[in-house]
Amino acid sequence: MQMNKAVFLDLNGTLVLPLRQESLAEMELIPGIDLAVAKLLTANFICPVVTIQSGIGKGRFTEREFRDWFAAFFGKLKLDVKGPYICPHRFAEDCICKKPKPFLYEQAVKDYAIDLSGSYTIGDTSWDVLAGKNMGGHGCLVRTGCTENEMEYRKAKPHAAYVGQTLDDVVQWILKTEQSGTTV
Ligand SMILES: [Zn+2]
């Protein structure tokens, strides 16, 4: 069977802001990310979005409302990202799906026949980076969102295959790495 390569994308702090929204209407695209994600899709990467949405667990919005928002938001941008793969639980809950646990990523792997060892994660927290590393792929850190904070940055950096100032930095690094055929 043909295996696909994936770039797993975090949502809040990586594609959109704020980090934790009170309502879905607050969600705004981080400037330039649409063009960066389009480059990945053009290069035939599957791009599943893996996200912690504790607002669902807190009753701020429902999972259905979140999924509808997601489809409309990325549909309007004409970006064929997959998912969303959602952890709906509160941060303090010890659930099976919270990053960096592999549960949500494994669902995408099954849905799209993804080869994890040739795949990447991009996110703004140590959880995103660790998830990619632990699955045998490459965890990439972007310094938007959480890692504008120096403490989170220091926690994530030792595990990162690459650190970019913007999503486009990271995307360019991934495309270059793929072209040169080097493993990191
Ligand atoms: Zn969960």
Side-chain angles (χ1 to χ4, degrees), residues 14-26:
T14 302
L15 305 182
V16 304
L17 286 170
L19 286 174
R20 293 182 206 176
Q21 71 280 0
E22 295 289 323
S23 84
L24 294 170
E26 286 174 56

Side-chain angles (χ1 to χ4, degrees), residues 83-170:
Y85 296 89
I86 305 168
C87 166
H89 306 108
R90 288 164 174 252
F91 275 97
E93 276 180 70
D94 184 25
C95 60
I96 56 161
C97 42
K98 202 154 279 129
K99 302 173 188 181
K101 292 178 185 170
F103 180 79
L104 292 174
Y105 300 90
E106 282 168 354
Q107 288 185 2
V109 165
K110 270 185 251 165
D111 289 346
Y112 298 103
I114 289 164
D115 166 22
L116 277 177
S117 65
S119 293
Y120 302 80
T121 56
I122 307 178
D124 67 322
T125 69
S126 53
W127 303 322
D128 297 295
V129 173
L130 272 172
K133 187 183 174 189
N134 293 347
M135 291 185 300
H138 317 296
C140 303
L141 189 68
V142 63
R143 292 212 66 178
T144 50
C146 280
T147 39
E148 282 179 355
N149 175 312
E150 197 62 25
M151 253 173 61
E152 183 61 28
Y153 173 64
R154 279 197 219 132
K155 215 160 73 177
K157 191 178 180 294
H159 306 290
Y162 183 76
V163 180
Q165 290 302 313
T166 65
L167 189 73
D168 195 61
D169 281 349
V170 180

Side-chain angles (χ1 to χ4, degrees), residues 19-100:
L19 286 174
R20 293 182 206 176
Q21 71 280 0
E22 295 289 323
S23 84
L24 294 170
E26 286 174 56
M27 304 279 254
E28 280 184 29
L29 195 73
I30 296 176
I33 73 95
D34 44 343
L35 297 176
V37 174
K39 286 180 194 172
L40 292 174
L41 295 170
T42 302
N44 287 324
F45 281 102
I46 303 278
C47 295
V49 175
V50 181
T51 179
I52 296 174
Q53 291 297 328
S54 54
I56 296 170
K58 290 172 187 155
R60 287 182 186 153
F61 43 88
T62 66
E63 183 170 336
R64 181 76 261 159
E65 285 166 345
F66 180 78
R67 287 186 185 280
D68 289 347
W69 168 84
F70 184 92
F73 189 83
F74 288 101
K76 202 167 147 193
L77 294 166
K78 297 192 166 50
L79 292 175
D80 184 21
V81 293
K82 308 298 188 193
Y85 296 89
I86 305 168
C87 166
H89 306 108
R90 288 164 174 252
F91 275 97
E93 276 180 70
D94 184 25
C95 60
I96 56 161
C97 42
K98 202 154 279 129
K99 302 173 188 181

